[in-house]
Amino acid sequence: MSYPNKIFLEENEMPTQWYNITADLPEPMPPALHPGTHEPATAEDFAPLFPKALIEQEMTTQRYVDIPGEVMDVYKLWRPTPLFRARRLEKLLDTPAKIFYKYEGVSPAGSHKPNTAVPQVYYNAMEGIKKLTTETGAGQWGSSLAFACAQFGLECEIWQVAASYRSKPYRKTMMEIWGGKVHPSPSQVTEYGRSLLALDNDHPGSLGIAISEAVSEAVADENTRYALGSVLNHVLMHQTIIGEEALLQMAKIGETPDVLVGCTGGGSNFGGLAFPFMREKFKGKMNPVIRCVEPTACPTLTKGEYRYDYGDTAGMTPMMKMHTLGHNFIPEPIHAGGLRYHGMAPLVSHVYELGLVDAMSIGQKECFAAGIMFAKSEGIVPAPEPTHAIAAAIREALACKETGEERTILTALCGHGHLDLASYEKYLHGEMQDLDLDQKAIDEALRSVPQVDR
Amino acid sequence: MSYPNKIFLEENEMPTQWYNITADLPEPMPPALHPGTHEPATAEDFAPLFPKALIEQEMTTQRYVDIPGEVMDVYKLWRPTPLFRARRLEKLLDTPAKIFYKYEGVSPAGSHKPNTAVPQVYYNAMEGIKKLTTETGAGQWGSSLAFACAQFGLECEIWQVAASYRSKPYRKTMMEIWGGKVHPSPSQVTEYGRSLLALDNDHPGSLGIAISEAVSEAVADENTRYALGSVLNHVLMHQTIIGEEALLQMAKIGETPDVLVGCTGGGSNFGGLAFPFMREKFKGKMNPVIRCVEPTACPTLTKGEYRYDYGDTAGMTPMMKMHTLGHNFIPEPIHAGGLRYHGMAPLVSHVYELGLVDAMSIGQKECFAAGIMFAKSEGIVPAPEPTHAIAAAIREALACKETGEERTILTALCGHGHLDLASYEKYLHGEMQDLDLDQKAIDEALRSVPQVDR
């Protein structure tokens, strides 16, 4: 069958519902726990943080949730996103494999993050909330939330990990273009931030710390809520628009994946692509191997423990059962900032425990080499995060070259690297190392996680 | 008629020919002249610079030129590009006007420049050329040529204006990702560069100087040629793919433009969008006002003289009849680096002289304000160059609000601003001025242009 490089959907072919995989899990997920009592968290426990509609989505087992019309209107600024057949990369690798990638970099913020930022802001706006707070690492999530807040007229206040705030000033500018207010974290704005700056005025910060700051500001004001860019069930559900579109696109050209690979940081890009395909697998309609790829420097799934832990460093969020390196663990400063989170989405952790997905880790030098190979053949310069998925796809394609198998590989290119060129510069000039895993730091961080047996 | 925000074409609907407007001009263009003899330049005069196929295209009056299959294959990595109806911007402006924009930022390099880089490299490759040299200012053209050279296996050596090389390091990285070799200009590599560095070791450089360096390296080696990213007839012809697609897209939804606005630096983005519409105007099929928008700090059309001048500072290129500020004129360092060229494409100059297009200039602060308004409503952060076109489109839309006219405005968003965020940072923090035009510098630069009466 002959088909083009880019498989598009019309705006009126866009899926109108998100998919909630909890409806189809062979075993239910362990509940989130109140951080103080360690009892299952109730909707009320989440109320200071999130609007009612999102708490409902966090807890529902309804299989499909309708995408509101106002959210569809904003999605249509860039969605449906294209699915590409990477023919020039295949040729470069001289592989019999077919490589497809779903490209989320066409969004205004340049990644998949607006898929959940837009509905999160919408539901807050519907409940009269005036301001959202959040954290951001490299800045993808912060800029996505600022963009979404501009669409619905909400204020947006963002705590950016100080090391990123200083080394990548342009993401801050992007947030400001869309009207966001940005603080380096730790900041003088919150008590927790001030306490850390008192110890170290040049504190580099971490995602966990920035979450603590954003949460503390949200709970202190009744017109303010908090927004999280990954990890939670409702976030992963919003991202399933990626996989639902990809399913339609693959169907259009009569292809089904034999292998699906996605990079995992908090898990939302992976879950977004993989879960709709997992549903089809449950139904027996296809049988792809589904694989998570994480950095060797932050190997949550492959080296972390599956246990209850906090989402933030200060221990203010509910506890979730997930693969974790310990909420105090601060990963080495690899360039894929979006993959530097101590935990993994409870949903992704759960399906991994159930054996529904497998996982592997790859070092950053192999990833950047794969990114450059991709840029030279397909044109697009990928963000450091999806270079992990590309590196895994290339490994698979080269294995096919050995065996002669004509496998169909599907991956998500979750963002472009236009704001990550400083990282490529380091790679090209031989200044990048494969950062070793600090097993001692992980052991120590895990020791300080309260033991909760459930 | 109801239609989506994004009007796409399928890959098999992509135009297969470029349009050469010289076939339809009411008066022929004045010829290019040999820089020494001032006699009409022959194909042989261009031979040390360009491959035969491109020289033929530069001189032909054939109305349509077929796009080679290998070029189509590379175009299809990102083409056809989407045409957007800017409904959210219209709503923000509360205007009865309809605003459409053709978005070229989806290309690998992030602008319209690869449209000509790809065929230029292809024709050189077909004639056995091994290496191309070029100049670049902000870096859009250099990165486009590096990308194109990677597709056909040619070496690419780029002289980047030193001021940009130092202040915008990430474009250099992008060129290197695609395998390009980048020098700051003036450089120690060429005699002309060394002569300038001897006078001023911190020389900021200019486009004209960088052209001189790239040209001198190309003519010195028989396997090396030079590539120019704008100004010349064949470059503008390659860019007509933009307008040809836009015509098909507008026809799909039953719309025709009343006003067409494009930003002009060298003139290739403007010509690429406008010329196919001008052909339809010649045929009596539509009657849009066609308008060039240039920066007040480099007002080639609105304040320059129409006369013969060199394309570069050292006077090594053929002389062309064009609107010029004088080849020695160095425009103020506005942020729209791509609009800082002393001359205007001879073709655009010619149609302006014939009264077929009009022209206006806008200061950079109004342009950045327009860019932010666009980003907040449509999502995409525009490059500084197309903010000029957006500012003009907004002026037009606001005029419609006054009069109640429901005019249809079409513009080209020729690139995204992901590598120009430092400029937005300056604007947002009140550090940007509307740079005044230095009329004395223009007068002086024009005095040093040899008088050629033809």
Side-chain angles (χ1 to χ4, degrees):
Chain A
M1 181 176 173
S2 156
Y3 49 80
N5 292 316
K6 300 179 295 296
I7 297 97
F8 282 107
L9 296 174
E10 294 291 329
E11 285 174 22
N12 61 15
E13 295 174 293
M14 198 164 92
T16 58
Q17 297 183 312
W18 295 299
Y19 170 56
N20 177 16
I21 196 171
T22 57
D24 291 322
L25 290 172
E27 283 179 37
M29 279 180 66
L33 304 181
H34 188 282
T37 65
H38 297 179
E39 289 301 310
T42 64
E44 269 167 48
D45 292 334
F46 286 109
L49 292 178
F50 303 115
K52 288 194 186 66
L54 289 177
I55 297 170
E56 267 175 45
Q57 290 184 2
E58 186 63 22
M59 297 184 156
T60 186
T61 53
Q62 195 184 317
R63 185 169 286 112
Y64 293 99
V65 173
D66 288 341
I67 306 175
E70 292 90 333
V71 172
M72 291 289 277
D73 283 348
V74 182
Y75 273 179
K76 285 176 184 172
L77 286 175
W78 75 94
R79 301 207 73 85
T81 62
L83 177 78
F84 286 81
R85 168 88 185 266
R87 288 199 171 93
R88 295 177 85 85
L89 177 61
E90 292 168 16
K91 202 175 156 192
L92 181 69
L93 297 172
D94 189 23
T95 175
K98 299 177 199 173
I99 304 174
F100 291 89
Y101 63 97
K102 176 76 169 159
Y103 184 42
E104 291 292 308
V106 293
S107 82
S111 77
H112 65 295
K113 295 284 184 185
N115 295 335
T116 184
V118 173
Q120 287 194 46
V121 174
Y122 167 77
Y123 290 117
N124 275 287
M126 288 303 99
E127 297 184 25
I129 297 303
K130 304 296 180 206
K131 181 165 121 181
L132 286 176
T133 66
T134 198
E135 77 293 335
T136 198
Q140 283 283 10
W141 168 242
S143 48
S144 300
L145 195 69
F147 157 73
C149 282
Q151 303 313 307
F152 296 102
L154 269 73
E155 281 181 72
C156 187
E157 201 164 346
I158 301 146
W159 278 261
Q160 182 174 16
V161 175
S164 296
Y165 182 92
R166 290 177 205 134
S167 68
K168 298 185 174 181
Y170 298 136
R171 272 283 169 198
K172 179 191 75 118
T173 307
M174 209 170 204
M175 295 182 239
E176 290 178 346
I177 286 174
W178 286 311
K181 189 173 171 185
V182 189
H183 309 284
S185 167
S187 74
Q188 294 289 357
V189 181
T190 70
E191 204 180 309
Y192 183 55
R194 285 190 296 270
S195 75
L196 294 172
L197 288 173
L199 296 172
D200 176 2
N201 201 35
D202 287 325
H203 200 298
S206 76
L207 264 182
I209 293 168
I211 294 176
S212 297
E213 291 203 274
V215 164
S216 71
E217 280 296 289
V219 299
D221 184 278
E222 64 173 347
N223 292 317
T224 301
R225 293 289 180 281
Y226 166 74
L228 189 64
S230 191
V231 178
L232 297 179
N233 299 350
H234 67 271
V235 177
L236 272 63
M237 186 184 76
H238 297 154
Q239 293 293 357
T240 58
I241 185 85
I242 303 172
E244 294 290 6
E245 284 182 7
L247 268 174
L248 296 175
Q249 288 163 313
M250 295 291 277
K252 265 199 175 181
I253 53 170
E255 300 278 5
T256 49
D258 299 306
V259 186
L260 188 156
V261 288
C263 63
T264 46
S268 74
N269 157 66
F270 174 81
L273 176 68
F275 289 170
F277 284 88
M278 212 178 278
R279 176 190 64 218
E280 300 306 300
K281 194 170 173 175
F282 291 150
K283 289 185 193 164
K285 298 222 174 145
M286 52 179 71
N287 194 24
V289 172
I290 302 180
R291 183 169 300 148
C292 303
V293 190
E294 55 187 18
T296 47
C298 190
T300 329
L301 286 172
T302 52
K303 298 264 177 101
E305 278 186 27
Y306 185 56
R307 58 186 288 185
Y308 273 99
D309 197 0
Y310 302 106
D312 70 324
T313 306
M316 300 169 70
T317 69
M319 298 188 83
M320 295 168 290
K321 194 156 186 183
M322 58 183 179
H323 287 80
T324 179
L325 301 166
H327 62 278
N328 281 321
F329 177 70
I330 298 187
E332 292 289 324
I334 52 165
H335 292 278
L339 307 184
R340 285 181 71 232
Y341 183 64
H342 68 270
M344 178 52 60
L347 259 176
V348 174
S349 298
H350 186 64
V351 297
Y352 181 60
E353 281 299 307
L354 295 176
L356 300 172
V357 301
D358 59 34
M360 67 191 291
S361 67
I362 304 187
Q364 65 179 349
K365 282 169 75 175
E366 179 178 342
C367 294
F368 274 89
I372 286 177
M373 205 180 275
F374 189 87
K376 281 194 170 166
S377 53
E378 293 294 309
I380 300 165
V381 178
E385 292 81 3
T387 61
H388 289 75
I390 294 168
I394 289 177
R395 279 194 190 181
E396 189 71 32
L398 291 177
C400 289
K401 187 177 169 180
E402 290 298 313
T403 61
E405 274 182 288
E406 197 187 290
R407 305 191 84 184
T408 299
I409 304 164
L410 171 63
T411 189
L413 184 57
C414 60
H416 62 64
H418 302 162
L419 281 88
D420 303 286
L421 292 169
S423 302
Y424 277 95
E425 177 72 15
K426 288 219 167 75
Y427 175 79
L428 286 166
H429 293 269
E431 293 161 23
M432 186 178 286
Q433 281 90 42
D434 275 332
L435 294 165
D436 275 345
L437 174 71
D438 188 350
Q439 188 66 47
K440 254 177 66 183
I442 294 179
D443 294 344
E444 200 171 303
L446 281 170
R447 262 199 304 276
S448 68
V449 179
Q451 278 294 351
V452 178
D453 296 317
R454 289 192 71 96
Chain B
M1 183 175 171
S2 156
Y3 49 81
N5 292 315
K6 301 179 294 297
I7 298 97
F8 281 108
L9 296 175
E10 296 290 330
E11 285 175 23
N12 61 17
E13 295 175 295
M14 198 164 91
T16 57
Q17 295 183 313
W18 295 299
Y19 170 56
N20 177 16
I21 197 172
T22 57
D24 292 322
L25 291 173
E27 283 180 36
M29 281 180 65
L33 304 181
H34 187 282
T37 65
H38 298 179
E39 290 301 310
T42 63
E44 269 167 48
D45 293 333
F46 286 109
L49 292 179
F50 304 114
K52 286 193 187 69
L54 289 177
I55 297 169
E56 265 174 47
Q57 290 185 0
E58 185 64 21
M59 298 185 156
T60 185
T61 53
Q62 196 184 318
R63 183 168 287 111
Y64 294 100
V65 172
D66 288 341
I67 306 175
E70 292 90 333
V71 172
M72 292 289 278
D73 283 349
V74 182
Y75 274 179
K76 285 176 184 172
L77 286 175
W78 75 95
R79 301 207 74 86
T81 63
L83 177 78
F84 286 80
R85 168 87 184 266
R87 288 199 172 92
R88 294 178 87 86
L89 177 61
E90 292 167 17
K91 202 174 159 195
L92 181 70
L93 298 172
D94 189 25
T95 175
K98 301 178 198 172
I99 305 174
F100 291 89
Y101 62 96
K102 176 76 171 160
Y103 185 40
E104 292 292 310
V106 294
S107 82
S111 78
H112 64 296
K113 295 285 184 184
N115 295 335
T116 184
V118 174
Q120 287 195 46
V121 175
Y122 166 78
Y123 290 117
N124 274 287
M126 287 303 99
E127 297 185 23
I129 298 302
K130 303 296 180 208
K131 180 165 122 181
L132 286 177
T133 66
T134 199
E135 77 292 335
T136 199
Q140 284 283 10
W141 169 243
S143 47
S144 300
L145 195 69
F147 157 73
C149 282
Q151 303 314 307
F152 296 102
L154 267 74
E155 280 181 73
C156 187
E157 200 164 346
I158 302 147
W159 278 260
Q160 184 174 15
V161 176
S164 297
Y165 182 93
R166 291 176 206 137
S167 69
K168 297 186 173 178
Y170 298 137
R171 273 285 169 198
K172 178 192 73 119
T173 307
M174 208 171 207
M175 295 182 240
E176 289 178 345
I177 286 173
W178 286 312
K181 187 171 173 188
V182 190
H183 309 285
S185 166
S187 73
Q188 295 289 358
V189 180
T190 70
E191 203 181 311
Y192 183 55
R194 286 190 296 271
S195 76
L196 294 172
L197 288 172
L199 297 172
D200 176 3
N201 202 35
D202 287 325
H203 200 298
S206 76
L207 265 181
I209 293 167
I211 294 175
S212 298
E213 291 202 275
V215 163
S216 71
E217 281 295 290
V219 298
D221 183 280
E222 64 173 348
N223 291 317
T224 302
R225 291 290 180 280
Y226 165 74
L228 189 65
S230 189
V231 177
L232 297 179
N233 300 349
H234 67 272
V235 177
L236 272 64
M237 185 184 77
H238 297 156
Q239 293 293 356
T240 58
I241 185 86
I242 303 173
E244 295 290 6
E245 285 182 7
L247 268 173
L248 294 175
Q249 288 163 313
M250 295 290 276
K252 262 198 178 181
I253 54 171
E255 300 279 5
T256 50
D258 298 308
V259 187
L260 188 157
V261 288
C263 63
T264 45
S268 75
N269 157 65
F270 174 82
L273 176 68
F275 289 170
F277 285 86
M278 213 177 278
R279 176 190 64 217
E280 300 306 300
K281 197 171 171 174
F282 291 150
K283 288 185 193 165
K285 298 219 174 148
M286 54 179 71
N287 195 23
V289 170
I290 302 180
R291 183 169 297 148
C292 303
V293 190
E294 54 186 18
T296 48
C298 191
T300 330
L301 285 172
T302 53
K303 298 263 176 101
E305 278 186 27
Y306 185 56
R307 58 186 287 183
Y308 273 99
D309 197 359
Y310 302 106
D312 70 324
T313 304
M316 300 168 72
T317 69
M319 297 188 85
M320 293 169 291
K321 194 156 187 184
M322 60 183 177
H323 287 80
T324 179
L325 301 166
H327 61 278
N328 282 320
F329 177 71
I330 297 186
E332 292 289 323
I334 52 166
H335 293 278
L339 307 185
R340 284 180 74 233
Y341 182 64
H342 69 271
M344 178 53 59
L347 258 176
V348 174
S349 298
H350 185 65
V351 297
Y352 181 62
E353 281 299 305
L354 294 176
L356 300 172
V357 302
D358 60 31
M360 67 189 296
S361 67
I362 304 186
Q364 67 179 347
K365 282 170 75 176
E366 179 178 342
C367 295
F368 274 89
I372 286 176
M373 203 180 276
F374 189 88
K376 281 194 170 164
S377 52
E378 293 293 311
I380 300 165
V381 177
E385 291 80 3
T387 62
H388 289 74
I390 294 167
I394 288 177
R395 280 194 191 183
E396 189 70 29
L398 292 176
C400 289
K401 187 178 169 181
E402 290 298 314
T403 61
E405 274 182 288
E406 197 187 289
R407 305 191 84 186
T408 299
I409 304 164
L410 170 63
T411 189
L413 184 57
C414 60
H416 62 64
H418 302 162
L419 282 89
D420 303 286
L421 292 168
S423 302
Y424 277 94
E425 177 74 14
K426 288 219 165 75
Y427 174 79
L428 285 166
H429 293 269
E431 293 163 22
M432 186 179 286
Q433 282 90 41
D434 275 333
L435 295 165
D436 276 344
L437 175 70
D438 188 350
Q439 188 66 49
K440 255 177 65 184
I442 294 179
D443 294 344
E444 202 171 301
L446 282 170
R447 259 200 305 278
S448 69
V449 179
Q451 279 293 350
V452 179
D453 295 316
R454 288 193 70 97

